[in-house]
Amino acid sequence: MTRWLAMTAGLLIWAAHFLGLYLLASAADVWSSTEAAAGRWIGLGFSLLCLALIAVVAVVMARRPLPDGPGLWERRVALTGALVAAVGVTWQTTPLAF
Amino acid sequence: MLGGWPPPVLDPAGPFAGPVTVVAWVLFVMGAVVLAVVLIALGVALFGPRKWKRRVGGERLVWIGGLAFPVVVLTGLLIYGLSVTARVSDAPRDGEMRVRVTGEMWWWRVAYLDGQGRETVQDANEVHIPVGRPVVVELESADVIHSLWVPRLGGKTDMIPGRRNFMRLQADKPGVYAGQCAEYCGGPHALMGFVVVAHAEADFEAWRARQAAPAAASALPGAAVFGASGCGACHTIRGTEANGLAGPDLTHVGSRKTLGAGILPNNQGAMAGWIADSQGIKPGNRMPSYPVLTGRELRDLAAYLDSLK
Amino acid sequence: MTSETGFDVRKYDRFPTEEPRPDGELGQLEAAWCGPRRPGEWITAINNNIIGVYYVGAAMLFFVLAGVLALLMRTQLALPMTGFLPQDTYNQIFTMHGTVMMFLFAVPAVEALGVLLLPQMLGARDLPFPRLGAYAFWAYLIGGLAFFCSLFFGLAPDGGWFMYPPLTGMTYSPGINADFWLLGIGFIEISAIAGAIEIIVGVLKTRAPGMTLDKLPVFAWAMLIFACMIIIAFPSVILATLLLELERALGWPFFDPLKGGDPMLWQHLFWFFGHPEVYIIFLPAAGAMSTIIPAMARTKLVGHPLVVMAMLATGFISFGVWAHHMFTTGMPQISINYFSAASMAVSVPAGVQVFAWIATIAAGKMRFTTPGLFAVGGLVIFVMGGLTGVMVAMVPFDWQAHDSYFIVAHLHYVLIGGMVFPMFAAIYYWLPMSSVRPLSERMGKWIFWLMFAGHNIAFLPMHLTGLMGMPRRVYTYLPGRGWDLPNFISTIGAFLFGLAVLLWVIDMIRNFRPFGPREAGNIHDGPGLEWLPSGYYSVRSVPVVKSLYPLWEQKGLAKEVREGRWFLPGAAGGERQTLVTSPLNAEPQYVLRLPRPSPWHVFGAVFTAGFFLILTIQAYAAAVISGVLAIYCIMRWCWFLDAPYSRKATDIGAGVRMPNYVSGPSSHGWWAMVIVLIVGGMVCLLAGFSYVFLWSRRPDLWQAPPETASMMLHLGVLALAGLCAAGAPRVLRRARRGAETLATALLLISAIGAATATGLELRAWWFAGLKPDATSQGAAVFALLGWAGTFAGIGALMGLYILLRRTFGRVSADRPSTVDLIGLFMAYTAGQAAMVVLLIRLFPGGGS
């Protein structure tokens, strides 16, 4: 199970980031306004947190001793997945500035 | 009307369409360049000399072509897109002229609003605006989802029952701008057209004054036919007894650019044909055909309605 | 590498075995797996080699049928105001074209490819639940054909393939046309989910030993991700169709704004399914491309881990872009912008795969066979579609392009380039595996070029037509707008495309000969296990896999496999068997006994389809009868599961012994039930989202819940039900005296408890004055409780079933799987009901 989680960790964090921002915007729409500054700053903080998590996960995985055959391949999938996830999280953060 | 060339999306006539046209051109050029790059790489991969194939045949191509290059380009596009979105969609400001357009199956109910949001003048299938000023359009629906789209003036916004949406229209030159319903609403959705007429400021005031006035009393025989045929049960002509709300307001129908919601030219022949057999022209629309009227009656009716300028 | 299961991998070194195989072993294998002899056996067959062919055939039949509809549409639109088709007919035809293509062709076609290819590709003898797969196929075929025939009665749905309310509500669509869509498509989704269960368990649990994740074929990865996406996405459209049908039939206002509903709820639910749907369609085709291109270029796939990562990333990110179909609905700007950003992100993994394919072509020497042509042609078309996709991901541009012919152009480029062309590549590439003769290469090239040209001539002008202002879904258009010429050209292209398909059909008739004595075989020199010599039993013996390209890198493998020198060379005890291995390292775990053909799943499919279709035409009594018969047939089918067996273990070769029976979390049945419960959970989660969404739109309509005391009582009963359900398997395993009876009793108590609590909760709300047809709160609360009640009802049926088994002595402590699975289901049912009760009681709380 942990091997699956490792391979998809970056993407799981992406999913949490997307869901979190969407819920935040929906809550703001219902309770005050999506323009409200508070919501934007919370969103930014949350986004930086997610990026940091992806970075931590990637570094932890990269630092482990080099595994053999399948493990090495799985690590490549995990690290490149984390990279794509980080790009996605970054792009999803930009709307907070508009 | 909606002309063919240049394509209306690439022929903007106002500030809510102009930036979008620029976006379109940027995207087309970018797309063409990327496609060319891909085709060249593919060509080299398929037919190229061995030295070139070796350059292309490794993981490096995947990293550069599949990751680095798209990330850079798309980052730029995303920021550009977000800024244009913000530019063409400010919230409505106080003091801007407001019009309410309600989508019906298969026509558009138009009402001009005063400063307090009350309806002052009713019309149908056409909105008149002054040149150079943004006009806030409130979008509602009486039945199913419709979408108002006037491509030369901007993107479309849906009319969703139970909600009120807003769009802003502005034309920078006088003219007639055509549009069409862009959300499938069943039946003759294909024949639900719309027209925006932009006037120079002085002409707009004159138009507004004429439109606010009720219809003059008419001695034309068609007026009697109108009354006797029960048209007033569905249509309103201010200044007469006709006060139905189910169908379009006809007080100044003679001066409209089109009939049948953007699909017929406005002349007496078309008017007579529509009344006689609207079902044949626009099957399923909510106005019944009137085969019972004689040719004389139809001509009189058409002449009367044409007089309502 | 550390072992995943404790299996000693040094045992692999005993293979390939040296001694000659015993006489009659091959004959016993052939007898156990013998193909159909009598005509009826062609219908009761369950072997994936047979069902797979039927399935691909049915999907391609629907492709042709929906294609004919497209030609009718293009004939109508060739000129302005043609009047070739009346308005109503055209509206039905365009709705059916989209619906049949998306639901009856695209998803089933790639699922069918999986059914046909995966067992061979993985070194398995068949899929793990053959009767479930066959049931899913027959239900799909019967339901799909009946649905298509609605056209001939003028009863086809006409609301567009995404069926937006209020247009599709009772007021504006009073006929049963919309119900055909809702009920017809609704249950075809069940078919897709059954297939997804098979594929997930098949890919993760029935691989050849040694096939670690890095050696799992890319097509299998694609199918695994595809199936997981189905599990998460399809519940959304199942819920949406249920809600709309409830609104139409009973007046429960989910989407009707007059009573608190919101048409936007449908759009959110539909597109949460609808966008992943198109990636569900694309990923297996991309997996096929990643298999065919290396085979045609005779070289390994460049960037293999990147390609698998890209497919995983596509799977995830595609769930975050659904509202890009709703940019014009007036959603808040920031939400729209999030979806725009995510839509850009989803194009990155697609680009990774495209460049991996180009790099692979460059690294090898591409052969211009028909599969190669279709692969390269598909790549070009898909890239063009992807580029217009990036364009419409930009919000201001989408505000112009949305619902215009620009989108029609975009969607056809990505779907035809990303799925149809790869599908034809796959058919030409893999057909020699199932047919005595391959298809004609000469005709194949003609077909390719005609299809490529026809596609571009048809759809390239549509970009322009859209920019000229032509909206979608119009049965005609006025002259003088400049739309005439591009439309006419598009029609010519469409007929060229149709000609290509006709030529393909002709070639299939001339050359496709399935179920013959031998297949054409590996004429393209492909590297995968599916090209090993095989019969109805798939491979004679299951090899240890040491490479991603076994036929290229493990010399002599084909001969060794055919001689039975690897695992499982026979059919021990004359039974059909396949090897179950662990999900990560593919270490052998146990032997899975596969069933023989029988008629019950076929009858079950007929009556299931019958139930939904008869319900649509509102013959309620007949529908109920059909439903009861379906349940009877399914129970008869299940009756033979978990049967006694004579031997506890099998020698799978070289003295390696594997158990014949495993229960608990490693077993394939457990996995299947867990997946079913995830589907149920997704529906419940989305129903909960719908409840909160409707509240957020009209909080003024919300009334206070019934008094708290009743909530505590109901939750208490549910807790008891859950404990009983969780306890029953444990009790059975203790194997004390009377354990079987006690376990059965516990399950019955659980079933009764869950049903009672749910019923009482419904009653409490009813007497508190909440009515489901009066307000959106009523509709949402009763829908949530109805879902919980449906599970309680199924639990009651399971209680009846286990009681019957106990009565006939089929509950036994050494075969606890049935009790395990029913216990799982009932525990979940109790938990789900408790979650529902907590949500509707505690949120938003005391009421307005």
Side-chain angles (χ1 to χ4, degrees):
Chain A
M1 193 58 193
T2 41
R3 278 161 69 180
W4 288 109
L5 278 175
M7 273 195 291
T8 53
L11 292 167
L12 286 167
I13 298 171
W14 170 89
H17 179 249
F18 178 83
L19 193 60
L21 284 183
Y22 181 62
L23 285 174
L24 192 63
S26 306
D29 191 38
V30 169
W31 272 294
S32 61
S33 146
T34 54
E35 308 282 320
R40 302 287 175 120
W41 285 109
I42 296 175
L44 181 60
F46 177 62
S47 304
L48 293 171
L49 175 66
C50 288
L51 273 174
L53 266 174
I54 294 178
V56 163
V57 158
V59 164
V60 163
M61 276 193 294
R63 278 244 190 107
R64 288 228 188 93
L66 217 56
D68 59 354
L72 185 63
W73 180 90
E74 286 168 27
R75 197 175 81 159
R76 285 204 74 197
V77 171
L79 290 175
T80 49
L83 177 64
V84 171
V87 168
V89 168
T90 308
W91 284 350
Q92 273 157 209
T93 310
T94 43
L96 290 167
F98 286 91
Chain B
M1 298 299 113
L2 260 174
W5 205 262
V9 172
L10 299 180
D11 183 24
F16 300 112
V20 181
T21 305
V22 175
V23 169
W25 281 114
V26 168
L27 290 171
F28 294 147
V29 168
M30 173 220 75
V33 167
V34 172
L35 181 63
V37 167
V38 170
L39 289 176
I40 290 171
L42 185 60
V44 168
L46 285 168
F47 308 113
R50 194 174 308 169
K51 207 161 64 113
W52 289 22
K53 277 178 65 168
R54 219 172 316 151
R55 286 238 192 89
V56 166
E59 213 177 87
R60 198 174 49 170
L61 180 77
V62 183
W63 280 96
I64 297 177
L67 278 169
F69 181 61
V71 167
V72 167
V73 170
L74 291 174
T75 304
L77 277 179
L78 177 66
I79 295 176
Y80 176 44
L82 292 174
S83 70
V84 173
T85 307
R87 186 136 57 98
V88 300
S89 53
D90 292 333
R93 284 190 270 271
D94 284 331
E96 287 177 339
M97 175 180 152
R98 294 173 87 98
V99 183
R100 177 175 301 147
V101 180
T102 304
E104 309 242 357
M105 281 156 129
W106 290 270
W107 58 283
W108 313 83
R109 190 186 295 270
V110 176
Y112 295 83
L113 306 178
D114 67 10
Q116 281 75 44
R118 286 177 305 226
E119 296 188 5
T120 55
V121 173
Q122 279 77 21
D123 199 354
N125 301 324
E126 252 177 40
V127 161
H128 291 248
I129 62 176
V131 157
R133 275 199 279 140
V135 172
V136 175
V137 184
E138 296 187 0
L139 299 158
E140 299 185 346
S141 169
D143 41 39
V144 300
I145 303 179
H146 301 275
S147 191
L148 183 57
W149 186 30
V150 185
R152 290 194 67 200
L153 297 182
K156 63 186 66 69
T157 305
D158 293 348
M159 303 153 129
I160 300 172
R163 287 174 179 250
R164 179 182 295 166
N165 280 337
F166 296 93
M167 71 196 272
R168 291 160 98 218
L169 289 175
Q170 177 175 332
D172 286 338
K173 283 196 283 288
V176 176
Y177 304 98
Q180 196 161 331
C181 175
E183 182 62 57
Y184 177 64
C185 44
H189 155 73
L191 297 176
M192 185 172 161
F194 190 77
V195 165
V196 174
V197 183
H199 304 263
E201 192 73 45
D203 296 334
F204 179 73
E205 291 308 321
W207 172 86
R208 206 219 293 259
R210 271 199 315 274
Q211 195 73 9
S218 178
L220 288 175
V225 178
F226 189 91
S229 306
C231 309
C234 290
H235 294 282
T236 295
I237 300 182
R238 278 178 284 121
T240 71
E241 285 175 347
N243 60 2
L245 294 174
D249 185 298
L250 298 178
T251 311
H252 297 286
V253 64
S255 60
R256 285 208 200 122
K257 303 290 179 197
T258 64
L259 292 179
I263 60 172
L264 293 168
N266 189 354
N267 57 53
Q268 294 188 33
M271 177 66 88
W274 172 263
I275 299 171
D277 187 23
S278 67
Q279 288 299 318
I281 298 170
K282 189 166 168 175
N285 92 83
R286 293 279 155 81
M287 173 165 164
S289 296
Y290 283 86
V292 64
L293 293 173
T294 66
R296 153 115 273 158
E297 288 172 312
L298 286 169
R299 276 195 297 276
D300 288 339
L301 256 181
Y304 166 60
L305 292 170
D306 189 48
S307 75
L308 296 173
K309 300 238 190 273
Chain C
M1 172 163 55
T2 49
S3 167
E4 188 184 354
T5 60
F7 179 80
D8 182 5
V9 297
R10 287 172 305 182
K11 292 186 182 162
Y12 293 157
D13 299 334
R14 301 185 196 170
F15 297 89
T17 55
E18 302 291 325
E19 332 78 60
R21 302 309 308 162
D23 279 340
E25 186 183 66
L26 180 57
Q28 193 188 38
L29 183 65
E30 285 169 344
W33 288 87
C34 74
R37 285 164 300 201
R38 293 196 301 273
E41 288 176 353
W42 287 103
I43 306 221
T44 59
I46 56 175
N47 194 319
N48 80 297
N49 293 304
I50 300 173
I51 294 288
V53 170
Y54 292 173
Y55 210 157
V56 175
M60 294 313 288
L61 171 66
F62 285 115
F63 174 68
V64 171
L65 289 174
V68 169
L69 295 182
L71 292 179
L72 290 171
M73 287 159 66
R74 282 316 319 167
T75 306
Q76 166 83 348
L77 294 176
L79 296 167
M81 309 291 283
T82 47
F84 167 67
L85 293 170
Q87 179 195 102
D88 283 341
T89 308
Y90 184 90
N91 290 344
Q92 290 187 16
I93 285 179
F94 87 72
T95 301
M96 289 297 277
H97 168 75
T99 305
V100 172
M101 279 296 190
M102 294 300 280
F103 289 109
L104 296 179
F105 161 62
V107 174
V110 294
E111 200 158 70
L113 265 187
V115 167
L116 185 59
L117 299 174
L118 279 176
Q120 251 87 306
M121 219 182 243
L122 301 171
R125 288 243 159 82
D126 204 332
L127 288 166
F129 308 104
R131 285 173 302 179
L132 183 65
Y135 168 85
F137 166 71
W138 290 112
Y140 151 72
L141 181 69
I142 297 168
L145 285 174
F147 175 72
F148 190 82
C149 288
S150 66
L151 267 173
F152 301 120
F153 296 91
L155 287 175
D158 59 354
W161 91 274
F162 29 94
M163 296 288 282
Y164 281 179
L167 177 62
T168 51
M170 213 51 182
T171 315
Y172 302 105
S173 292
I176 65 174
N177 314 45
D179 301 301
F180 262 114
W181 194 99
L182 294 170
L183 291 166
I185 295 305
F187 94 87
I188 283 166
E189 269 115 42
I190 296 173
S191 187
I193 288 178
I197 293 174
E198 280 233 83
I199 288 168
I200 293 175
V201 180
V203 170
L204 290 178
K205 300 283 290 173
T206 64
R207 307 204 293 271
M211 192 183 272
T212 48
L213 290 182
D214 59 321
K215 303 187 194 72
L216 182 63
V218 181
F219 182 73
W221 266 111
M223 293 302 296
L224 175 65
I225 299 168
F226 153 91
C228 291
M229 288 173 74
I230 286 184
I231 299 302
I232 307 291
F234 272 56
S236 195
V237 75
I238 290 177
L239 177 68
T241 54
L242 269 171
L243 296 185
L244 185 55
E245 191 52 53
L246 284 171
E247 179 169 302
R248 288 176 55 86
L250 302 175
W252 295 16
F254 300 101
F255 314 112
D256 174 6
L258 289 173
K259 295 187 188 169
D262 189 351
M264 293 284 285
L265 177 61
W266 170 272
Q267 294 192 30
H268 280 294
L269 288 176
F270 184 84
W271 288 115
F272 185 78
F273 148 80
H275 194 87
E277 152 92 339
V278 306
Y279 286 96
I280 284 169
I281 290 169
F282 167 64
L283 276 181
M289 295 278 274
S290 293
T291 310
I292 294 172
I293 289 178
M296 289 298 126
R298 287 213 165 99
T299 188
K300 296 187 184 178
L301 179 66
V302 171
H304 169 235
L306 288 170
V307 170
V308 173
M309 176 280 293
M311 294 196 298
L312 279 167
T314 305
F316 272 85
I317 302 178
S318 68
F319 278 93
V321 304
W322 79 87
H324 69 213
H325 301 268
M326 297 157 61
F327 278 164
T328 58
T329 57
M331 285 172 60
Q333 209 62 254
I334 191 164
S335 308
I336 286 179
N337 287 336
Y338 289 142
F339 285 101
S340 178
S343 304
M344 299 263 180
V346 82
S347 66
V348 171
V352 167
Q353 292 182 75
V354 166
F355 278 96
W357 297 333
I358 296 176
T360 306
I361 293 173
K365 196 164 158 21
M366 191 70 176
R367 289 175 284 161
F368 291 102
T369 54
T370 309
L373 283 172
F374 270 108
V376 172
L379 192 160
V380 172
I381 295 174
F382 177 70
V383 166
M384 292 168 75
L387 288 170
T388 54
V390 168
M391 292 180 198
V392 294
M394 300 264 285
V395 175
F397 183 75
D398 184 72
W399 280 341
Q400 287 281 23
H402 174 70
D403 259 349
S404 78
Y405 260 78
F406 192 92
I407 297 287
V408 176
H410 161 69
L411 77 91
H412 284 93
Y413 265 83
V414 280
L415 283 172
I416 292 180
M419 186 263 167
V420 174
F421 271 64
M423 185 73 195
F424 276 93
I427 289 173
Y428 275 89
Y429 179 65
W430 275 300
L431 196 112
M433 219 178 85
S434 303
S435 166
V436 175
R437 289 202 298 274
L439 293 178
S440 154
E441 270 295 307
R442 205 167 53 96
M443 265 188 92
K445 291 180 167 65
W446 274 97
I447 292 168
F448 166 74
W449 284 110
L450 266 173
M451 212 183 276
F452 188 81
H455 165 85
N456 285 296
I457 294 171
F459 295 106
L460 198 59
M462 288 187 188
H463 296 99
L464 185 60
T465 326
L467 294 176
M468 286 177 160
M470 182 170 176
R472 283 173 83 162
R473 307 165 142 194
V474 289
Y475 75 96
T476 191
Y477 53 94
L478 294 171
R481 296 178 164 190
W483 299 355
D484 310 23
L485 184 58
N487 268 290
F488 191 76
I489 296 173
S490 288
T491 301
I492 294 177
F495 275 91
L496 282 175
F497 196 109
L499 177 61
V501 175
L502 177 64
L503 289 177
W504 173 77
V505 170
I506 290 172
D507 196 27
M508 288 287 284
I509 294 172
R510 280 188 6 186
N511 281 311
F512 180 55
R513 297 287 177 270
F515 316 131
R518 58 152 25 94
E519 296 98 35
N522 196 359
I523 60 175
H524 297 295
D525 189 26
L529 288 180
E530 73 271 21
W531 296 112
L532 287 169
S534 64
Y536 276 126
Y537 47 77
S538 288
V539 287
R540 167 79 196 278
S541 55
V542 179
V544 171
V545 168
K546 299 181 178 145
S547 154
L548 186 53
Y549 307 92
L551 291 203
W552 285 351
E553 299 197 327
Q554 291 177 241
K555 292 287 161 236
L557 189 65
K559 187 159 173 289
E560 292 163 4
V561 161
R562 197 178 48 236
E563 291 170 355
R565 294 167 59 198
W566 289 96
F567 283 104
L568 213 63
E575 286 182 331
R576 296 186 174 193
Q577 297 163 321
T578 194
L579 206 52
V580 173
T581 56
S582 61
L584 288 159
N585 291 354
E587 294 162 7
Q589 288 185 302
Y590 65 100
V591 172
L592 198 170
R593 287 176 303 160
L594 292 166
R596 295 281 188 126
S598 89
W600 293 107
H601 65 279
V602 183
F603 290 133
V606 168
F607 291 122
T608 307
F611 169 71
F612 283 96
L613 290 165
I614 300 174
L615 203 61
T616 307
I617 60 173
Q618 295 171 355
Y620 296 116
V624 167
I625 293 173
S626 189
V628 168
L629 285 170
I631 292 171
Y632 172 73
C633 292
I634 293 171
M635 281 201 186
R636 275 300 295 260
W637 157 14
C638 290
W639 191 252
F640 301 103
L641 292 170
D642 229 8
Y645 47 85
S646 49
R647 296 157 301 113
K648 275 204 176 323
T650 300
D651 181 333
I652 61 174
V656 179
R657 292 184 71 78
M658 282 287 136
N660 283 342
Y661 185 95
V662 154
S663 65
S666 310
S667 80
H668 56 293
W670 182 282
W671 282 52
M673 179 55 80
V674 168
I675 295 171
V676 167
L677 297 179
I678 293 175
V679 170
M682 278 305 297
V683 174
C684 193
L685 188 68
L686 290 162
F689 159 79
S690 305
Y691 171 88
V692 173
F693 181 85
L694 287 172
W695 167 82
S696 75
R697 296 290 302 153
R698 292 295 304 275
D700 56 296
L701 285 179
W702 246 246
Q703 70 173 63
E707 78 294 358
T708 320
S710 63
M711 174 177 85
M712 304 311 290
L713 170 66
H714 302 159
L715 286 175
V717 174
L718 287 170
L720 176 67
L723 282 167
C724 286
R730 278 173 241 276
V731 160
L732 184 63
R733 276 184 171 73
R734 288 268 192 76
R736 299 244 175 81
R737 237 158 49 101
E740 294 92 355
T741 313
L742 182 56
T744 309
L746 283 173
L747 288 177
L748 276 168
I749 294 172
S750 178
I752 294 170
T756 309
T758 312
L760 286 176
E761 181 72 11
L762 269 161
R763 195 171 160 281
W765 283 92
W766 182 271
F767 286 112
L770 189 70
K771 299 289 177 277
D773 57 349
T775 62
S776 50
Q777 179 193 17
V781 165
F782 277 81
L784 278 163
L785 287 172
W787 183 251
T790 305
F791 268 66
I794 298 173
L797 283 171
M798 289 187 176
L800 170 65
Y801 176 73
I802 196 72
L803 180 62
L804 283 169
R805 280 185 80 101
R806 174 70 197 96
T807 313
F808 287 92
R810 284 175 164 252
V811 176
S812 156
D814 63 343
R815 291 189 327 270
S817 279
T818 305
V819 169
D820 278 353
L821 267 49
I822 295 182
L824 262 179
F825 185 89
M826 290 188 177
Y828 170 83
T829 299
Q832 177 181 249
M835 292 282 107
V836 166
V837 168
L838 285 170
L839 175 67
I840 59 185
R841 293 276 192 148
L842 301 180
F843 184 94
S848 46

